Amino acid sequence: KINGESESEKPGFFEDLAISPPYAIAYVLFLGYAFMRTMGEAEGASMEVLQGFFNDPLNPGCNEIFTTIFNLLGLFFVPMACLLMPGAKGQKFPATPFLVGAALGGYGVLGPYAITRKPMTDITKADLGWFTANVLENKVFNYFIAAAFFSAYITSGLLDALLTKDVHEIISGYLDLVSSTAIASASSMDFLILTVAGASFVSEDVKRRNVDDEKTANLIGATTMLLPGIGLALYCALRPNLNEQ
């Protein structure tokens, strides 16, 4: 026996494992789509695009829309951490490795955690770990991340391009890149999934902060999709504090 409980009495790993179908479906579709696009592209097409980012991440020499998407993907894990870490205790997997891995792998890494986690809305500040309470819930940090997201739209050249170039040409260039390279198409789908998943996590987080109405929580979550990436970061900066106890 261990702590008065025999090994046979302890629940197995899979006994109380719950799978969330929406996140699981998104994960399967993402991996399947990325695999098919990789198998179907011309040899070296994605590597040529990636080489531009290796040489100069802010000015890789490709379409401004994709440059923005690709750079924002590396930031998404921060607001995701702000949304998921308050409810991380008691989950089947530890959240930290998946969130850190998402900085490079996006939903391809975060997916398994999202699939197996359970919504946690009955949370107070006393339930949080030190890092979550003092960093991820810190408004100065939250506004800094929101500024980083906003700056990505500027440093990528997208804002300037939309103001000075033919918008139709920019969109056409983006669609051409998506159709011809796996990196652009898979990254775009990853960006879409993270945006929608983040909105659902916002709806859950709102309920931790004294918003009990389901429709209101869902509406707040949906509004974050109007400004992909920035919406999540701004929500984290503007959200009410958790109850102390």
Side-chain angles (χ1 to χ4, degrees), residues 31-236:
L31 293 183
Y33 179 70
F35 176 78
M36 288 190 297
R37 293 293 291 119
T38 301
M39 293 296 100
E41 76 169 357
E43 184 177 354
S46 288
M47 184 51 65
E48 183 179 347
V49 175
L50 286 173
Q51 191 61 51
F53 282 96
F54 294 151
N55 295 334
D56 188 344
L58 298 181
N59 298 287
C62 64
N63 178 267
E64 293 88 352
I65 296 177
F66 176 66
T67 300
T68 304
I69 288 174
F70 194 79
N71 286 328
L72 285 176
L73 283 173
L75 294 174
F76 247 100
F77 79 103
V78 184
M80 286 296 196
C82 294
L83 296 169
L84 294 175
M85 286 302 292
K89 287 185 178 179
Q91 300 292 351
K92 184 59 70 173
F93 295 112
T96 302
F98 293 94
L99 288 165
V100 173
L104 294 176
Y107 195 70
V109 176
L110 185 63
Y113 181 77
I115 290 168
T116 57
R117 71 180 296 274
K118 299 176 181 178
M120 303 282 284
T121 56
D122 188 16
I123 302 293
T124 66
K125 195 167 184 178
D127 298 317
L128 306 181
W130 184 91
F131 186 80
T132 302
N134 293 280
V135 179
L136 299 182
E137 292 279 326
N138 184 282
K139 296 304 181 185
V140 175
F141 176 77
N142 294 155
Y143 276 109
F144 174 79
I145 297 303
F149 269 87
F150 184 74
S151 70
Y153 281 85
I154 298 175
T155 57
S156 66
L158 178 59
L159 190 59
D160 180 66
L162 291 175
L163 294 174
T164 61
K165 296 182 180 180
D166 182 2
V167 175
H168 181 268
E169 182 181 336
I170 297 171
I171 296 174
S172 296
Y174 168 67
L175 294 177
D176 288 343
L177 191 63
V178 167
S179 65
S180 61
T181 65
I183 186 65
S185 55
S187 295
S188 297
M189 186 173 186
D190 193 11
F191 187 76
L192 174 63
I193 291 173
L194 288 173
T195 299
V196 176
S200 72
F201 298 145
V202 166
S203 297
E204 176 186 335
D205 189 74
V206 167
K207 297 173 187 175
R208 299 177 186 135
R209 300 167 197 272
N210 301 319
V211 175
D212 298 321
D213 183 68
E214 185 77 22
K215 290 183 179 179
T216 300
N218 291 337
L219 180 61
I220 294 173
T223 59
T224 64
M225 295 189 288
L226 297 176
L227 294 171
I230 295 178
L232 294 180
L234 280 177
Y235 165 77
C236 292

